[in-house]
C-alpha cells in the first residue's frame, strides 16, 4: 500500500475501518454523499467512489470531507479523537525533541 495509508506506528491502517468511520460520520451528519462531496470541493461522486467503489482517498480530499462532516481526520483514520488541549500540547512538542523526550520519561516512570 502506498501513500498516507501505509503502515503507521506499527499498526496497519485499515481502509475498511476508515470507510466504516467515514460512513458512520456521513450517516450522523444527515448529508448525502453527493452534497458532502460537492461541499468538500470534490466531484459529485467522490465520496461514493470512496465508500462503495473502494477507491483509495487522497489525504487532502479526505481532510476536506472530514471538515464538511465536522469530524476529525484523526477519528476517521485511527478511531479516536484528540482533544484541542492534547493537540495544542502535541503542536508545542513537535519541534522540540528534547522536551518531548523529557515528558515521555516523566509519563512512563
Amino acid at each position: 500500500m502506498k501513500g498516507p495509508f501505509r503502515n503507521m506506528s506499527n499498526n496497519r491502517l485499515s481502509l475498511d475501518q476508515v470507510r466504516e468511520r467515514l460512513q458512520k460520520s456521513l450517516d450522523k451528519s444527515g448529508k448525502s454523499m453527493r452534497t458532502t462531496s460537492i461541499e468538500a470541493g470534490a466531484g459529485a461522486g467522490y465520496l461514493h467512489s470512496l465508500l462503495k467503489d473502494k477507491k483509495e482517498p487522497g489525504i487532502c480530499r479526505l481532510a476536506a470531507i472530514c471538515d464538511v462532516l465536522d469530524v476529525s481526520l484523526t477519528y476517521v483514520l485511527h478511531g479516536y479523537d484528540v482533544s484541542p488541549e492534547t493537540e495544542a500540547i502535541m503542536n508545542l512538542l513537535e519541534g522540540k525533541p528534547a522536551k518531548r523526550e523529557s515528558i515521555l520519561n516523566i509519563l512512563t516512570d
Side-chain angles (χ1 to χ4, degrees), residues 12-87:
R12 186 124 180 113
L13 188 60
S14 166
L15 283 175
D16 289 335
Q17 290 174 335
V18 167
R19 287 185 186 95
E20 285 175 21
R21 289 188 286 269
L22 201 53
Q23 183 67 59
K24 285 180 186 177
S25 299
L26 179 66
D27 294 343
K28 186 177 176 183
S29 77
K31 296 180 179 189
S32 70
M33 284 188 243
R34 178 182 173 81
T35 298
T36 303
S37 294
I38 292 169
E39 287 181 17
Y46 182 74
L47 196 49
H48 182 274
S49 70
L50 296 181
L51 297 175
K52 304 302 181 190
D53 300 336
K54 303 208 183 249
K55 178 180 175 186
E56 185 175 317
I59 196 71
C60 292
R61 292 265 191 212
L62 184 58
I65 294 287
C66 289
D67 285 344
V68 170
L69 295 176
D70 196 27
V71 64
S72 74
L73 184 59
T74 302
Y75 168 73
V76 170
L77 292 176
H78 302 290
Y80 59 86
D81 275 318
V82 175
S83 71
E85 295 84 3
T86 301
E87 186 175 357

